[in-house]
Amino acid sequence: MGTALIYDEEMTRYKLLWVDPACKIEVPERLTVSHEALIKNGLADRCVSVPVREATDADILLVHSEEYLEAVKKTPYMTLEDLKEFTLQYGDVYFHPNIYHCAKLAAGAALQLVDSVMTGKVRNGMALVRPPGHHSMSSAANGFCVFNNVAIAAQYAKQKYGLKRVLIVDWDVHHGQGVQYCFEDDPSVLYFSWHRYEHQKFWPQLRESDYDSVGKEKGAGFNINVPWNKVGMKNSDYLSVFCHVLLPVAYEFCPDLVLVCAGFDSAIGDPEGEMCASPDIFAHLTHLLMNLAGGKLCAVLEGGYNLTSLPQSVCQTVQTLLGDPAPRPANLDGPCESALESLHCVRSAHRQYWSCLKHAAKLPTFEISTKRVKLAEEEERLEKGDEEKSQEEQVWPEPPKRVTPPIRAALVLPNGVACPDGCESFGASEDADPVIVNKLRENFVKDADDCHALTTLSSLISLVEKMEKNEGCSDASGFLQAVLGLLLPLGYEYDPSLVLLVRMPDSGVCDSVWQQLTGLLQGLAQGHTLVLMQEGEKERVAPTASALLGDAAPSLGQLHSPLPEDVEVLERLRHRLQGDWKLLQTTAPETGRGDEH
Ligand code: Q7Y
Ligand code: ZN
């Protein structure tokens, strides 16, 4: 099962025709440099090339009003003066005689991607499109966007394939308010967005982009906003929001399809975002979403304006979709205080809607609002002495070349167990190599002195033991909560060069949970995972090999509440360890005062 790539040069054939400082960064080269980088890195060739199509009127009307569509239809025939005037009724967007054609192709590309994934032609894919979509609204163009490509794709997928639940992950640095408005009261579409906010001082400066806009009526709880109130957010900030908000909720939601508003203005060097996350973080964000919905993931380009950082980020995303192991994430030193505060706020705003967040720390509402005002004033004062460097001066190392391992998974099997398709079988050698044995002994003794690591390990083992006492898969949700909120952040911060995964007989972990665990852990150590199983566990070989080969793990179904006693153990452990392991933190130091149950 392959990865689709959708691109058409036609979408480079419109540009800004007058002077407008707000719009000058949205250039055709965004698309050409991204596509050329995919070719240069040998990635385009490995993808299934899928043609674009024009979205039909019926497709566009799934999200937009007839009046708006009819107005946009007239733009190809307008004079320059008419176009300028037409543009004036909207915010931060420009029109061109060819933009209506391109906007139909951009939305159509998203629909082609959904069709390719839903019919099983490919497992996942990415569409490189212009104009972007997530800011456009039912009756308005906005923020370089004409039609809301991803919102149209979500409605189309629900209608054509009868999907019950669609997850939209918007990792662009701007709030996709158009997507939020479209699905605000709709519980069948879960919209997650993080965005530069700075206490409402950053574009589009909307009150409803804050963490307390959680959705309306039946859709309450299905809109998740993570405001970044400072610039310079780093890899740790992004990963901690994935581990402590998005992933637990996404697994509980159990989507049939994942759509990504894949904007890369959230990467370092971008003049709009001013964030500091490295392009290779997108390998991890992608990887972490690839075991949801049985691997059905469609990424559609939104923003990204630094012509060096953008193609690097696009390549990291596509290479991960193709199944290559992610690079080891660098300098994960824990989230900053402002990110922790956002994390705390979002988790508390959603604790009533999601059982995975039931135990999250509360935040008295009056304290939040006064805090917002207080912080905004404080920042105003600080901004007087502005001495930050422009994003064009930012430098960062080029992401390391990623290799496609010649053998994805090798097995050493006992006699009589067939080697699953796609794996290489290695014979067990009779005699141990004395050099290796000595090395092992030395290393083992050295590691045994590392009390800190031992304490951590023994805590983890006792937790796993506790969970093992539950028979069958009755506590998949508690197990998953431990994996997402504890093991994954610990693993990321520890940055191992090898993951050793031991499966005990009768562990009580069912195949699908085991495959999720194996799949998620392959984001660490460049995917170097060694699984040890006992000879008796012959039936576990095939599912394990499948996970090691990078097949998407089967979905776990909608999860019930984890057992209170498991949550309690887990939370106690997280609190004990979070002094040493910053990625386990979920509350800001001065507001965090222990979780309330
Ligand atoms: C839209 C966007 C979509 C000058 C301020 C201009 C432009 C906002 C439009 C951004 N620094 N603001 O990027 S992904
Ligand atoms: Zn953006």
Side-chain angles (χ1 to χ4, degrees):
M1 284 265 276
T3 294
L5 177 63
I6 309 194
Y7 171 73
D8 196 303
E9 224 179 84
E10 177 64 12
M11 287 180 282
T12 66
R13 296 190 190 118
Y14 77 90
K15 61 176 189 190
L16 180 62
L17 295 176
W18 51 84
V19 177
D20 180 353
C23 292
K24 68 169 198 285
I25 56 177
E26 206 292 292
V27 294
E29 290 75 20
R30 297 178 52 237
L31 233 48
T32 48
V33 296
S34 300
H35 189 238
E36 278 159 14
L38 288 171
I39 294 169
K40 199 193 90 205
N41 287 299
L43 299 171
D45 264 348
R46 293 169 58 195
C47 292
V48 179
S49 168
V50 172
V52 297
R53 71 167 171 90
E54 285 186 10
T56 64
D57 283 7
D59 296 331
I60 294 164
L61 293 172
L62 287 169
V63 163
H64 298 279
S65 71
E66 230 168 300
E67 307 76 71
Y68 176 63
L69 173 58
E70 291 309 314
V72 175
K73 268 187 194 176
K74 299 200 175 88
T75 60
Y77 312 101
M78 289 181 184
T79 63
L80 190 66
E81 288 312 306
D82 289 345
L83 282 170
K84 271 193 209 172
E85 192 175 302
F86 184 75
T87 292
L88 277 179
Q89 52 185 321
Y90 308 115
D92 298 275
V93 65
Y94 62 88
F95 279 82
H96 176 283
N98 198 35
I99 203 172
Y100 170 54
H101 185 222
C102 293
K104 278 190 291 185
L105 294 180
L111 302 182
Q112 289 284 81
L113 190 51
V114 165
D115 280 334
S116 306
V117 167
M118 289 313 301
T119 59
K121 186 177 178 206
V122 292
R123 190 223 294 211
N124 56 32
M126 171 144 206
L128 292 182
V129 303
R130 275 179 82 235
H134 69 154
H135 297 301
S136 84
M137 292 159 268
S138 169
S139 294
N142 182 262
F144 314 151
C145 303
V146 176
F147 299 137
N148 202 315
N149 309 319
V150 168
I152 294 170
Q155 294 290 34
Y156 176 87
K158 280 202 302 172
Q159 192 190 70
K160 182 162 177 187
Y161 299 99
L163 303 188
K164 294 278 174 301
R165 289 176 303 277
V166 177
L167 168 65
I168 301 179
V169 177
D170 189 337
W171 70 44
D172 187 280
V173 86
H174 300 96
H175 180 219
Q177 84 278 37
V179 184
Q180 172 168 315
Y181 299 152
C182 189
F183 301 110
E184 235 161 1
D185 56 4
D186 183 351
S188 69
V189 177
L190 171 56
Y191 177 59
F192 168 93
S193 173
W194 64 34
H195 35 268
R196 179 171 172 186
Y197 190 58
E198 297 175 289
H199 301 285
Q200 213 182 317
K201 284 194 298 193
F202 187 70
W203 188 91
Q205 305 183 318
L206 302 170
R207 175 65 186 86
E208 61 267 32
S209 305
D210 212 347
Y211 63 88
D212 54 353
S213 290
V214 297
K216 295 176 172 162
E217 292 149 47
K218 281 202 170 77
F222 297 88
N223 190 87
I224 304 184
N225 285 333
V226 181
W228 298 125
N229 288 317
K230 289 239 175 3
V231 295
M233 292 297 165
K234 301 199 275 211
N235 292 355
S236 289
D237 303 301
Y238 288 8
L239 279 177
S240 80
V241 166
F242 260 53
C243 288
H244 298 301
V245 179
L246 175 60
L247 294 173
V249 170
Y251 274 95
E252 187 171 337
F253 179 63
C254 190
D256 304 311
L257 174 67
V258 179
L259 303 178
V260 181
C261 287
F264 299 102
D265 41 17
S266 44
I268 190 162
D270 193 276
E272 271 289 310
E274 298 185 43
M275 297 301 177
C276 289
S278 57
D280 49 283
I281 198 62
F282 295 103
H284 293 278
L285 304 186
T286 306
H287 175 88
L288 291 169
L289 298 174
M290 277 171 67
N291 285 298
L292 290 158
K296 295 192 290 295
L297 188 156
C298 301
V300 181
L301 183 68
E302 298 280 358
Y305 306 98
N306 179 307
L307 297 180
T308 306
S309 149
L310 169 65
Q312 290 174 352
S313 301
V314 168
C315 287
Q316 292 293 323
T317 303
V318 171
Q319 190 159 6
T320 307
L321 291 176
L322 282 163
D324 286 356
R328 274 167 74 171
N331 351 300
L332 295 177
D333 47 6
C336 68
E337 200 173 315
S338 173
L340 280 172
E341 198 174 274
S342 300
L343 201 59
H344 186 171
C345 290
V346 182
R347 282 167 54 94
S348 76
H350 280 275
R351 67 197 292 280
Q352 57 175 309
Y353 304 109
W354 300 97
S355 68
C356 60
L357 298 179
K358 236 194 291 196
H359 61 281
K362 286 179 195 154
L363 201 68
T365 38
F366 82 92
E367 192 184 331
I368 304 171
S369 45
T370 49
K371 196 169 176 59
R372 187 191 299 123
V373 174
K374 197 188 80 202
L375 277 168
E377 286 169 354
E378 190 182 307
E379 249 167 1
E380 209 115 50
R381 270 185 280 114
L382 285 172
E383 258 168 18
K384 297 275 153 66
D386 223 36
E387 22 67 58
E388 57 185 279
K389 65 171 153 188
S390 96
Q391 292 303 298
E392 279 65 45
E393 293 168 45
Q394 280 275 15
V395 284
W396 64 93
E398 195 178 330
K401 281 277 164 297
R402 291 166 62 178
V403 290
T404 311
I407 301 169
R408 177 69 201 231
L411 311 175
V412 179
L413 296 166
N415 289 335
V417 179
C419 182
D421 281 352
C423 294
E424 189 110 335
S425 184
F426 282 10
S429 67
E430 327 293 60
D431 306 303
D433 181 337
V435 179
I436 295 180
V437 170
N438 270 332
K439 262 194 192 159
L440 275 176
R441 194 169 287 135
E442 277 167 34
N443 283 322
F444 180 75
V445 173
K446 200 184 82 210
D447 283 356
D449 287 340
D450 188 346
C451 286
H452 189 71
L454 278 182
T455 322
T456 304
L457 272 178
S458 66
S459 316
L460 276 178
I461 289 166
S462 69
L463 176 77
V464 171
E465 273 173 354
K466 184 163 187 335
M467 299 214 168
E468 281 171 359
K469 299 218 176 78
N470 295 305
E471 293 295 319
C473 240
S474 64
D475 202 32
S477 64
F479 190 87
L480 200 72
Q481 187 142 347
V483 171
L484 299 175
L486 199 58
L487 191 52
L488 217 50
L490 261 177
Y492 268 111
E493 192 164 349
Y494 183 58
D495 185 27
S497 46
L498 176 71
V499 173
L500 189 57
L501 188 52
V502 182
R503 185 177 170 108
M504 301 304 283
D506 311 313
S507 68
V509 176
C510 66
D511 283 346
S512 52
V513 172
W514 173 249
Q515 285 173 298
Q516 287 287 350
L517 172 67
T518 312
L520 287 166
L521 288 178
Q522 281 181 88
L524 305 170
Q526 287 182 285
H528 294 149
T529 312
L530 179 59
V531 181
L532 296 181
M533 297 190 297
Q534 297 207 345
E535 275 207 46
E537 298 248 284
K538 293 189 171 64
E539 322 76 59
R540 304 281 84 84
V541 171
T544 305
S546 160
L548 289 175
L549 284 167
D551 299 343
S555 133
L556 299 177
Q558 277 187 292
L559 298 168
H560 61 85
S561 289
L563 300 173
E565 58 267 34
D566 285 344
V567 172
E568 203 183 303
V569 178
L570 212 123
E571 284 307 292
R572 227 183 300 127
L573 196 51
R574 218 162 48 79
H575 277 106
R576 216 171 61 221
L577 295 172
Q578 69 185 3
D580 295 311
W581 302 93
K582 307 285 182 222
L583 272 181
L584 296 179
Q585 298 177 347
T586 55
T587 50
E590 83 273 39
T591 48
R593 54 185 170 310
D595 289 359
E596 297 157 43
H597 295 278

